[in-house]
Amino acid sequence: QVQLVESGGGLVQAGGSLRLSCTASGSILAINVMGWYRQAPGNQRELVATITSGGSINYGNSVKGRFAISRDNAKKTVYLQMNDLKPEDTAIYYCNVDRLQSAWGLRSDLWGQGMQVTVSS
């Protein structure tokens, strides 16, 4: 069984930092794009950042210059370093894999369970 396990969310003051992690577990052979999305109350889910297996990165406009995404392919883990956090960064953050190859076949559009990030002013 393939799943995404997230960690690192919590409460932080404005200007502070948090580091999120997401590990894909199961008999996984290859992962394409890994990324982070977020959803604030009353808003649609939005892109935070994505990273391909080759290291190409894309950021949402609101986090450019403050957040950094990285991944460890051997550990099947993606990280999100969030710096200079603002109250408007408060949201539920979700890990996503667009496509992966497991021992049981191809899986698409996998999501983690989501975790709360709250930035106080």
Side-chain angles (χ1 to χ4, degrees):
Q1 182 179 358
V2 175
Q3 61 179 346
L4 302 179
V5 180
E6 303 158 335
S7 63
L11 173 65
V12 65
Q13 288 188 332
S17 298
L18 280 176
R19 189 188 194 212
L20 309 183
S21 299
C22 171
T23 299
S25 64
S27 297
I28 296 169
L29 305 176
I31 301 175
N32 190 32
V33 180
M34 304 184 80
W36 294 93
Y37 293 76
R38 68 185 184 186
Q39 187 168 18
N43 291 353
Q44 291 186 335
R45 192 171 296 189
E46 66 173 357
L47 167 72
V48 177
T50 60
I51 182 168
T52 69
S53 58
S56 295
I57 291 172
N58 184 40
Y59 289 108
N61 288 334
S62 61
V63 306
K64 287 180 180 177
R66 298 188 297 122
F67 291 11
I69 190 171
S70 61
R71 67 189 275 178
D72 185 327
N73 290 327
K75 294 182 178 180
K76 302 179 181 63
T77 299
V78 62
Y79 306 96
L80 185 68
Q81 178 66 43
M82 305 187 294
N83 300 322
D84 189 24
L85 283 160
K86 303 176 181 180
E88 50 264 42
D89 293 317
T90 295
I92 297 175
Y93 283 70
Y94 297 90
C95 176
N96 172 262
V97 166
D98 78 326
R99 189 171 68 251
L100 64 80
Q101 181 68 49
S102 77
W104 297 283
L106 190 66
R107 295 284 304 276
S108 298
D109 199 27
L110 299 175
W111 292 92
Q113 77 277 11
M115 54 185 169
Q116 180 71 44
V117 171
T118 301
V119 184
S120 62
S121 58

